[in-house]
Coordinates of all heavy atoms in Angstrom, one line a residue:
M555 N -9.9 8.9 41.7 CA -10.0 10.2 41.3 C -11.1 10.4 40.2 O -11.8 11.3 40.1 CB -8.7 10.7 40.8 CG -8.6 12.2 40.5 SD -6.9 12.7 40.3 CE -6.9 13.0 38.6
I556 N -11.1 9.4 39.3 CA -12.1 9.5 38.2 C -13.5 9.4 38.7 O -14.4 10.1 38.2 CB -11.8 8.4 37.2 CG1 -10.5 8.6 36.5 CG2 -12.9 8.2 36.1 CD1 -9.9 7.5 35.7
I557 N -13.7 8.5 39.7 CA -15.1 8.4 40.3 C -15.5 9.7 41.0 O -16.6 10.1 40.8 CB -15.1 7.2 41.2 CG1 -15.0 5.9 40.5 CG2 -16.4 7.2 42.0 CD1 -14.8 4.7 41.3
T558 N -14.5 10.3 41.6 CA -14.8 11.6 42.3 C -15.2 12.7 41.3 O -16.1 13.4 41.5 CB -13.6 12.0 43.1 OG1 -13.2 11.0 44.0 CG2 -13.8 13.3 43.8
F559 N -14.5 12.7 40.2 CA -14.8 13.7 39.2 C -16.2 13.4 38.6 O -17.0 14.4 38.3 CB -13.8 13.7 38.0 CG -12.6 14.5 38.3 CD1 -11.3 13.9 38.3 CD2 -12.7 15.8 38.7 CE1 -10.2 14.7 38.6 CE2 -11.5 16.6 39.0 CZ -10.3 16.0 38.9
I560 N -16.6 12.2 38.3 CA -17.8 11.8 37.8 C -19.0 12.2 38.8 O -19.9 12.9 38.4 CB -17.9 10.3 37.4 CG1 -17.0 10.0 36.2 CG2 -19.3 9.9 37.1 CD1 -16.8 8.5 36.0
L561 N -18.8 11.9 40.0 CA -19.8 12.2 41.0 C -19.9 13.7 41.2 O -21.0 14.2 41.4 CB -19.5 11.5 42.3 CG -19.6 9.9 42.3 CD1 -19.2 9.3 43.6 CD2 -21.0 9.5 42.0
G562 N -18.8 14.4 41.2 CA -18.8 15.8 41.3 C -19.5 16.5 40.2 O -20.2 17.5 40.3
A563 N -19.3 16.0 39.0 CA -20.0 16.5 37.8 C -21.5 16.3 37.9 O -22.2 17.2 37.5 CB -19.4 15.9 36.5
I564 N -21.9 15.2 38.4 CA -23.3 14.9 38.6 C -23.9 15.9 39.6 O -25.0 16.5 39.4 CB -23.5 13.5 39.1 CG1 -23.2 12.5 37.9 CG2 -25.0 13.3 39.5 CD1 -23.2 11.0 38.4
L565 N -23.2 16.2 40.7 CA -23.6 17.2 41.7 C -23.7 18.6 41.0 O -24.6 19.3 41.3 CB -22.7 17.2 42.9 CG -22.9 16.0 43.8 CD1 -21.8 16.1 44.9 CD2 -24.2 16.0 44.5
L566 N -22.7 18.9 40.2 CA -22.7 20.3 39.6 C -23.9 20.4 38.7 O -24.5 21.5 38.5 CB -21.4 20.5 38.9 CG -20.2 20.8 39.7 CD1 -19.0 20.9 38.8 CD2 -20.4 22.1 40.4
V567 N -24.3 19.3 37.9 CA -25.4 19.4 37.0 C -26.7 19.6 37.7 O -27.6 20.2 37.3 CB -25.4 18.1 36.1 CG1 -26.7 18.0 35.3 CG2 -24.2 18.2 35.2
D568 N -26.7 19.0 39.0 CA -28.0 19.0 39.7 C -28.2 20.3 40.5 O -29.2 20.6 41.1 CB -27.9 17.8 40.7 CG -29.3 17.6 41.3 OD1 -30.3 17.7 40.6 OD2 -29.3 17.3 42.5
L569 N -27.2 21.2 40.5 CA -27.3 22.5 41.2 C -28.3 23.4 40.5 O -28.6 23.4 39.4 CB -25.9 23.3 41.3 CG -24.9 22.7 42.2 CD1 -23.6 23.5 42.0 CD2 -25.4 22.7 43.6
D570 N -28.9 24.3 41.4 CA -29.8 25.3 40.9 C -29.0 26.4 40.1 O -27.8 26.5 40.3 CB -30.5 26.1 42.0 CG -31.4 25.2 42.8 OD1 -32.0 24.3 42.1 OD2 -31.7 25.4 44.0
L571 N -29.6 27.0 39.2 CA -28.9 28.0 38.4 C -28.4 29.2 39.2 O -27.4 29.9 38.9 CB -29.8 28.5 37.2 CG -30.1 27.5 36.1 CD1 -31.1 28.1 35.1 CD2 -28.8 27.0 35.5
D572 N -29.1 29.5 40.3 CA -28.7 30.6 41.2 C -27.3 30.4 41.8 O -26.6 31.3 42.1 CB -29.7 30.9 42.2 CG -31.0 31.4 41.6 OD1 -31.0 32.0 40.5 OD2 -32.1 31.3 42.3
V573 N -27.1 29.1 42.2 CA -25.8 28.8 42.8 C -24.6 29.0 41.9 O -23.5 29.4 42.3 CB -25.8 27.3 43.3 CG1 -24.5 26.9 43.9 CG2 -27.0 27.1 44.2
W574 N -24.8 28.9 40.6 CA -23.7 29.1 39.6 C -23.3 30.6 39.6 O -22.2 30.9 39.1 CB -24.2 28.7 38.2 CG -24.1 27.2 38.0 CD1 -25.1 26.3 38.1 CD2 -22.9 26.4 37.7 NE1 -24.7 25.1 37.9 CE2 -23.3 25.1 37.7 CE3 -21.6 26.7 37.6 CZ2 -22.4 24.0 37.4 CZ3 -20.7 25.7 37.3 CH2 -21.1 24.4 37.3
R575 N -24.1 31.5 40.1 CA -23.8 32.9 40.1 C -23.0 33.3 41.3 O -22.5 34.4 41.4 CB -25.0 33.7 39.9 CG -25.7 33.5 38.6 CD -26.9 34.5 38.5 NE -27.6 34.2 37.3 CZ -28.8 33.7 37.2 NH1 -29.5 33.5 38.3 NH2 -29.4 33.4 36.0
E576 N -22.9 32.4 42.3 CA -22.2 32.7 43.6 C -20.7 32.5 43.4 O -20.2 31.6 42.8 CB -22.8 31.9 44.7 CG -24.2 32.1 44.9 CD -24.8 31.3 46.0 OE1 -24.0 30.7 46.9 OE2 -26.0 31.1 46.1
G577 N -20.0 33.4 44.0 CA -18.5 33.4 43.9 C -17.8 32.3 44.5 O -16.7 31.9 44.1
W578 N -18.4 31.8 45.7 CA -17.7 30.7 46.4 C -17.6 29.5 45.5 O -16.6 28.8 45.6 CB -18.4 30.4 47.7 CG -19.7 29.7 47.5 CD1 -21.0 30.4 47.4 CD2 -20.0 28.3 47.3 NE1 -22.0 29.4 47.2 CE2 -21.4 28.2 47.1 CE3 -19.2 27.2 47.3 CZ2 -22.0 27.0 46.9 CZ3 -19.8 25.9 47.1 CH2 -21.2 25.9 46.9
L579 N -18.5 29.2 44.6 CA -18.5 28.0 43.8 C -17.4 28.1 42.8 O -16.6 27.2 42.5 CB -19.8 27.8 43.1 CG -19.9 26.6 42.2 CD1 -19.7 25.3 43.0 CD2 -21.2 26.5 41.4
H580 N -17.2 29.3 42.2 CA -16.1 29.6 41.2 C -14.7 29.5 41.9 O -13.8 28.9 41.4 CB -16.3 30.9 40.6 CG -17.5 31.0 39.8 ND1 -17.7 30.4 38.5 CD2 -18.7 31.7 40.0 CE1 -18.9 30.7 38.1 NE2 -19.6 31.4 39.0
A581 N -14.6 30.0 43.1 CA -13.4 29.9 43.9 C -13.1 28.4 44.2 O -11.9 28.0 44.1 CB -13.5 30.7 45.2
K582 N -14.1 27.7 44.6 CA -13.8 26.3 44.9 C -13.4 25.5 43.7 O -12.5 24.7 43.8 CB -15.2 25.7 45.5 CG -15.0 24.2 45.8 CD -16.3 23.5 45.9 CE -16.1 22.0 45.8 NZ -17.2 21.2 45.5
L583 N -14.1 25.7 42.6 CA -13.7 25.0 41.4 C -12.3 25.4 40.9 O -11.6 24.6 40.4 CB -14.7 25.2 40.3 CG -16.1 24.6 40.5 CD1 -17.1 25.0 39.5 CD2 -16.0 23.1 40.7
T584 N -11.9 26.7 41.2 CA -10.6 27.1 40.8 C -9.5 26.3 41.7 O -8.5 25.9 41.1 CB -10.4 28.6 41.0 OG1 -11.3 29.3 40.2 CG2 -9.0 29.1 40.7
F585 N -9.9 26.2 43.0 CA -8.9 25.4 43.8 C -8.9 23.9 43.4 O -7.8 23.3 43.4 CB -9.4 25.5 45.3 CG -8.9 26.6 46.0 CD1 -9.7 27.5 46.7 CD2 -7.5 26.9 46.1 CE1 -9.3 28.6 47.4 CE2 -7.0 28.0 46.8 CZ -7.9 28.8 47.4
V586 N -10.0 23.4 42.9 CA -10.0 22.0 42.4 C -9.1 21.9 41.2 O -8.3 20.9 41.0 CB -11.4 21.6 42.1 CG1 -11.4 20.2 41.4 CG2 -12.2 21.4 43.4
V587 N -9.2 22.9 40.3 CA -8.3 22.9 39.0 C -6.9 23.0 39.4 O -6.0 22.3 38.9 CB -8.7 24.0 38.1 CG1 -7.7 24.2 37.0 CG2 -10.1 23.7 37.5
V588 N -6.5 23.8 40.4 CA -5.2 23.9 40.9 C -4.7 22.6 41.5 O -3.6 22.2 41.3 CB -5.1 25.1 42.0 CG1 -3.8 25.0 42.7 CG2 -5.3 26.4 41.3
L589 N -5.6 21.9 42.2 CA -5.2 20.6 42.8 C -4.9 19.6 41.7 O -4.0 18.8 41.8 CB -6.3 20.1 43.8 CG -5.9 19.1 44.7 CD1 -4.8 19.5 45.6 CD2 -7.1 18.7 45.6
V590 N -5.7 19.6 40.6 CA -5.5 18.7 39.5 C -4.2 19.0 38.8 O -3.5 18.1 38.5 CB -6.7 18.7 38.6 CG1 -6.4 17.9 37.3 CG2 -7.9 18.1 39.3
A591 N -3.9 20.3 38.6 CA -2.7 20.7 38.0 C -1.5 20.3 38.8 O -0.4 19.8 38.3 CB -2.6 22.2 37.7
Y592 N -1.6 20.4 40.1 CA -0.5 20.0 41.1 C -0.3 18.5 41.0 O 0.8 18.0 41.0 CB -0.9 20.4 42.5 CG 0.1 20.0 43.5 CD1 1.3 20.8 43.6 CD2 -0.1 18.9 44.3 CE1 2.2 20.4 44.6 CE2 0.9 18.6 45.2 CZ 2.0 19.3 45.4 OH 3.0 19.0 46.3
H593 N -1.4 17.7 40.9 CA -1.3 16.3 40.7 C -0.4 16.0 39.4 O 0.4 15.1 39.4 CB -2.6 15.7 40.6 CG -2.6 14.2 40.4 ND1 -2.4 13.3 41.4 CD2 -2.8 13.5 39.3 CE1 -2.5 12.1 40.9 NE2 -2.7 12.1 39.6
G594 N -0.7 16.7 38.3 CA 0.1 16.5 37.1 C 1.6 16.8 37.3 O 2.5 16.1 36.8
L595 N 1.9 17.9 38.1 CA 3.3 18.3 38.4 C 3.9 17.1 39.2 O 5.1 16.8 39.0 CB 3.3 19.6 39.2 CG 3.2 20.9 38.4 CD1 3.1 22.0 39.4 CD2 4.4 21.0 37.5
M596 N 3.2 16.6 40.2 CA 3.8 15.6 41.0 C 4.1 14.3 40.2 O 5.1 13.6 40.4 CB 2.9 15.2 42.2 CG 2.9 16.3 43.2 SD 1.8 16.0 44.6 CE 2.3 14.4 45.2
S597 N 3.3 14.1 39.2 CA 3.5 12.9 38.3 C 4.8 13.1 37.5 O 5.6 12.2 37.4 CB 2.3 12.8 37.4 OG 2.5 11.7 36.5
R598 N 5.0 14.4 37.0 CA 6.2 14.7 36.3 C 7.4 14.5 37.2 O 8.5 14.0 36.8 CB 6.1 16.0 35.7 CG 7.4 16.3 34.8 CD 7.4 17.6 34.1 NE 6.2 18.4 34.2 CZ 6.3 19.8 34.1 NH1 7.4 20.4 33.8 NH2 5.2 20.5 34.1
W599 N 7.3 15.0 38.4 CA 8.4 14.9 39.4 C 8.8 13.5 39.7 O 9.9 13.1 39.8 CB 8.1 15.7 40.6 CG 8.0 17.2 40.4 CD1 8.5 17.9 39.4 CD2 7.3 18.1 41.3 NE1 8.2 19.2 39.6 CE2 7.4 19.4 40.7 CE3 6.5 17.9 42.4 CZ2 6.8 20.5 41.3 CZ3 6.0 19.0 43.0 CH2 6.1 20.3 42.4
R600 N 7.8 12.6 39.8 CA 8.0 11.2 40.1 C 8.7 10.6 38.9 O 9.7 9.8 39.1 CB 6.6 10.5 40.3 CG 6.8 9.0 40.5 CD 5.5 8.3 40.6 NE 4.7 8.5 39.4 CZ 4.8 7.8 38.3 NH1 5.8 6.9 38.1 NH2 4.0 8.1 37.2
M601 N 8.4 11.0 37.7 CA 9.1 10.4 36.5 C 10.5 10.9 36.4 O 11.4 10.1 36.0 CB 8.3 10.8 35.2 CG 7.0 10.0 35.0 SD 6.3 10.4 33.4 CE 5.1 11.5 33.8
D602 N 10.8 12.1 36.9 CA 12.1 12.6 37.0 C 12.9 11.8 38.0 O 14.1 11.5 37.8 CB 12.2 14.1 37.4 CG 11.8 15.0 36.3 OD1 11.7 14.6 35.2 OD2 11.5 16.2 36.7
F603 N 12.3 11.4 39.1 CA 13.0 10.5 40.1 C 13.3 9.2 39.5 O 14.3 8.6 39.7 CB 12.1 10.3 41.3 CG 12.4 11.4 42.4 CD1 11.5 12.4 42.7 CD2 13.5 11.3 43.1 CE1 11.7 13.3 43.6 CE2 13.8 12.3 44.1 CZ 12.8 13.3 44.4
E604 N 12.3 8.6 38.7 CA 12.5 7.3 38.1 C 13.7 7.3 37.1 O 14.4 6.4 37.0 CB 11.3 6.8 37.4 CG 10.2 6.4 38.4 CD 8.9 6.0 37.6 OE1 8.8 6.2 36.4 OE2 8.0 5.5 38.3
A605 N 13.8 8.4 36.4 CA 14.8 8.6 35.4 C 16.2 9.1 36.0 O 17.1 9.3 35.2 CB 14.4 9.5 34.2
D606 N 16.2 9.3 37.3 CA 17.3 9.8 38.0 C 17.8 11.2 37.5 O 18.9 11.5 37.3 CB 18.5 8.8 37.9 CG 19.5 9.1 39.1 OD1 19.1 9.7 40.1 OD2 20.7 8.7 38.9
K607 N 16.8 12.0 37.2 CA 17.0 13.4 36.7 C 16.5 14.4 37.6 O 16.3 15.6 37.3 CB 16.2 13.6 35.3 CG 16.7 12.7 34.2 CD 15.9 13.0 32.9 CE 16.4 12.1 31.8 NZ 15.6 12.3 30.6
N608 N 16.4 14.1 38.9 CA 15.9 15.1 39.9 C 17.0 16.1 40.1 O 18.2 15.8 40.4 CB 15.6 14.4 41.2 CG 15.2 15.3 42.3 OD1 14.5 16.3 41.9 ND2 15.5 15.1 43.5
E609 N 16.6 17.4 40.0 CA 17.6 18.5 40.2 C 17.1 19.4 41.4 O 17.8 20.4 41.6 CB 17.6 19.4 38.9 CG 18.2 18.6 37.7 CD 18.2 19.4 36.5 OE1 17.7 20.6 36.5 OE2 18.6 18.9 35.4
R610 N 16.1 19.0 42.0 CA 15.6 19.9 43.2 C 16.1 19.3 44.5 O 16.1 18.1 44.7 CB 14.1 19.9 43.1 CG 13.6 20.6 41.9 CD 12.1 20.6 41.9 NE 11.5 21.2 40.7 CZ 11.4 20.6 39.5 NH1 11.7 19.3 39.4 NH2 10.9 21.2 38.5
P611 N 16.3 20.2 45.5 CA 16.7 19.8 46.8 C 15.5 19.2 47.6 O 14.4 19.4 47.2 CB 17.3 21.0 47.4 CG 16.5 22.1 46.8 CD 16.3 21.7 45.3
A612 N 15.8 18.4 48.6 CA 14.8 17.8 49.5 C 13.9 18.9 50.1 O 12.7 18.6 50.3 CB 15.4 17.0 50.5
K613 N 14.4 20.1 50.4 CA 13.7 21.1 51.0 C 12.5 21.6 50.1 O 11.4 21.9 50.6 CB 14.6 22.3 51.4 CG 13.9 23.3 52.3 CD 14.9 24.4 52.7 CE 14.4 25.3 53.7 NZ 15.3 26.3 54.2
F614 N 12.7 21.6 48.8 CA 11.7 21.9 47.8 C 10.5 21.0 48.0 O 9.4 21.4 48.0 CB 12.3 21.9 46.4 CG 11.2 22.0 45.4 CD1 10.7 23.3 45.0 CD2 10.8 20.9 44.7 CE1 9.8 23.4 44.0 CE2 9.8 21.0 43.7 CZ 9.3 22.2 43.4
Y615 N 10.8 19.7 48.1 CA 9.7 18.7 48.1 C 9.0 18.7 49.5 O 7.8 18.5 49.6 CB 10.3 17.3 47.8 CG 10.7 17.2 46.4 CD1 12.1 17.1 46.1 CD2 9.8 17.1 45.4 CE1 12.5 17.0 44.8 CE2 10.2 17.0 44.1 CZ 11.5 17.0 43.8 OH 11.9 16.9 42.5
R616 N 9.7 19.1 50.5 CA 9.1 19.3 51.8 C 8.1 20.4 51.8 O 7.0 20.3 52.4 CB 10.1 19.5 52.9 CG 10.8 18.2 53.4 CD 11.5 18.4 54.7 NE 12.6 19.4 54.6 CZ 13.9 19.1 54.4 NH1 14.3 17.8 54.3 NH2 14.8 20.0 54.3
W617 N 8.4 21.5 51.2 CA 7.5 22.6 51.0 C 6.3 22.3 50.1 O 5.2 22.6 50.4 CB 8.2 23.9 50.5 CG 8.9 24.6 51.6 CD1 10.2 24.6 51.9 CD2 8.3 25.5 52.6 NE1 10.5 25.4 53.0 CE2 9.3 25.9 53.4 CE3 7.0 25.9 52.8 CZ2 9.0 26.8 54.5 CZ3 6.7 26.7 53.9 CH2 7.7 27.2 54.7
M618 N 6.6 21.6 49.0 CA 5.6 21.3 48.0 C 4.6 20.2 48.6 O 3.5 20.1 48.1 CB 6.2 20.8 46.7 CG 6.9 21.9 46.0 SD 6.0 23.4 45.8 CE 4.9 22.9 44.5
N619 N 5.1 19.5 49.6 CA 4.2 18.5 50.2 C 3.1 19.2 51.0 O 2.0 18.5 51.2 CB 5.0 17.7 51.2 CG 4.3 16.5 51.8 OD1 3.6 15.8 51.1 ND2 4.4 16.4 53.1
E620 N 3.2 20.4 51.3 CA 2.2 21.1 52.1 C 1.1 21.8 51.2 O 0.0 22.1 51.6 CB 2.8 22.2 53.0 CG 3.8 21.7 53.9 CD 3.4 20.6 54.8 OE1 2.2 20.6 55.3 OE2 4.1 19.6 55.1
V621 N 1.4 21.9 49.9 CA 0.5 22.6 49.0 C -0.9 21.9 48.9 O -1.9 22.6 49.0 CB 1.1 22.7 47.6 CG1 0.1 23.1 46.6 CG2 2.3 23.6 47.6
P622 N -1.0 20.6 48.8 CA -2.3 20.0 48.7 C -3.1 20.2 50.0 O -4.4 20.4 49.9 CB -2.1 18.5 48.5 CG -0.7 18.3 48.2 CD 0.0 19.5 48.6
A623 N -2.5 20.2 51.2 CA -3.3 20.4 52.4 C -3.8 21.8 52.4 O -5.0 22.0 52.8 CB -2.3 20.2 53.6
V624 N -3.0 22.8 52.0 CA -3.5 24.2 52.0 C -4.7 24.4 51.0 O -5.7 25.0 51.3 CB -2.3 25.1 51.7 CG1 -2.9 26.6 51.5 CG2 -1.3 25.1 52.8
V625 N -4.5 23.8 49.8 CA -5.5 23.9 48.8 C -6.9 23.2 49.3 O -8.0 23.7 49.1 CB -5.1 23.3 47.5 CG1 -6.2 23.3 46.5 CG2 -3.9 24.1 47.0
M626 N -6.7 22.0 49.9 CA -7.9 21.3 50.4 C -8.6 22.1 51.5 O -9.8 22.1 51.6 CB -7.6 19.9 50.8 CG -7.3 19.0 49.6 SD -7.1 17.3 50.0 CE -5.5 17.3 50.8
I627 N -7.8 22.7 52.4 CA -8.4 23.5 53.4 C -9.2 24.7 52.8 O -10.3 25.0 53.2 CB -7.3 24.1 54.4 CG1 -6.8 22.9 55.2 CG2 -7.8 25.2 55.3 CD1 -5.6 23.2 56.1
G628 N -8.7 25.3 51.8 CA -9.3 26.4 51.1 C -10.6 25.9 50.4 O -11.7 26.6 50.5
I629 N -10.6 24.7 49.8 CA -11.9 24.1 49.3 C -12.9 23.9 50.3 O -14.1 24.3 50.1 CB -11.5 22.8 48.5 CG1 -10.7 23.0 47.3 CG2 -12.8 22.0 48.2 CD1 -10.1 21.7 46.7
V630 N -12.6 23.4 51.4 CA -13.5 23.1 52.5 C -14.0 24.4 53.1 O -15.3 24.5 53.3 CB -12.9 22.2 53.6 CG1 -13.8 22.2 54.8 CG2 -12.6 20.9 53.1
I631 N -13.2 25.4 53.2 CA -13.6 26.7 53.8 C -14.6 27.3 52.8 O -15.7 27.9 53.2 CB -12.4 27.6 54.0 CG1 -11.7 27.2 55.3 CG2 -12.9 29.1 54.2 CD1 -10.4 27.9 55.6
F632 N -14.4 27.3 51.5 CA -15.3 27.9 50.5 C -16.6 27.2 50.5 O -17.6 27.8 50.3 CB -14.7 28.0 49.1 CG -13.8 29.2 49.0 CD1 -12.4 28.9 48.7 CD2 -14.2 30.5 49.0 CE1 -11.6 30.0 48.5 CE2 -13.4 31.5 48.9 CZ -12.0 31.3 48.6
V633 N -16.6 25.9 50.8 CA -17.9 25.2 50.7 C -18.7 25.5 52.0 O -19.9 25.7 52.0 CB -17.7 23.7 50.5 CG1 -18.9 22.9 50.7 CG2 -17.1 23.5 49.1
V634 N -18.0 25.4 53.2 CA -18.7 25.5 54.4 C -19.1 26.9 54.8 O -20.3 27.3 55.1 CB -17.9 24.9 55.6 CG1 -18.5 25.1 56.9 CG2 -17.7 23.4 55.3
V635 N -18.1 27.9 54.6 CA -18.4 29.3 55.0 C -19.1 30.1 53.9 O -19.9 30.9 54.3 CB -17.0 30.0 55.4 CG1 -17.2 31.4 55.7 CG2 -16.3 29.2 56.5
R636 N -18.8 29.8 52.7 CA -19.4 30.5 51.6 C -19.3 32.0 51.8 O -20.3 32.7 51.9 CB -20.9 30.1 51.4 CG -21.1 28.7 51.0 CD -22.5 28.3 50.7 NE -22.6 26.9 50.4 CZ -23.7 26.4 50.0 NH1 -24.8 27.0 49.9 NH2 -23.7 25.1 49.7
P637 N -18.0 32.5 51.8 CA -17.8 33.9 52.1 C -18.4 34.9 51.2 O -18.6 36.1 51.5 CB -16.3 34.0 52.2 CG -15.8 32.9 51.3 CD -16.8 31.8 51.4
F638 N -18.6 34.5 49.9 CA -19.2 35.5 49.0 C -19.9 34.8 47.9 O -20.0 33.6 47.8 CB -18.1 36.3 48.3 CG -16.9 35.6 47.8 CD1 -16.8 35.0 46.5 CD2 -15.7 35.4 48.6 CE1 -15.7 34.3 46.1 CE2 -14.6 34.8 48.1 CZ -14.6 34.2 46.9

């Protein structure tokens, strides 16, 4: 993950200034921040499991398991389609 962030930052620095004004880039970066925040939540949930303090039902985790896939689909769509 760290290598991905470093390489992504290098690509962002290399972009033209006109690209920074386009909405799709801001939407994509927002999705990336959401994915990183979700990663932090999952880390906290894992620690709850380790400490045997889990209070959520299995159905919650089944639904939350789909969040990264939906966010990554959004990231790819914003990069490929560039809707705005």
Side-chain angles (χ1 to χ4, degrees):
M555 187 166 109
I556 294 170
I557 293 171
T558 302
F559 279 124
I560 292 170
L561 294 175
I564 291 170
L565 286 173
L566 285 174
V567 169
D568 195 39
L569 285 176
D570 294 330
L571 291 177
D572 293 336
V573 177
W574 281 99
R575 295 184 186 115
E576 296 181 18
W578 68 268
L579 181 63
H580 297 284
K582 176 199 168 198
L583 292 176
T584 301
F585 274 125
V586 170
V587 169
V588 167
L589 199 58
V590 170
Y592 181 77
H593 179 78
L595 278 173
M596 288 179 54
S597 177
R598 184 175 357 151
W599 295 337
R600 182 188 51 82
M601 286 187 258
D602 287 345
F603 271 107
E604 286 178 354
D606 202 23
K607 295 180 182 178
N608 179 36
E609 299 176 356
R610 294 176 182 86
K613 192 172 188 177
F614 171 80
Y615 293 108
R616 281 195 295 264
W617 277 102
M618 293 309 285
N619 186 47
E620 303 305 321
V621 170
V624 172
V625 173
M626 285 187 288
I627 288 170
I629 290 171
V630 170
I631 286 174
F632 278 117
V633 171
V634 173
V635 176
R636 295 183 182 184
F638 47 87

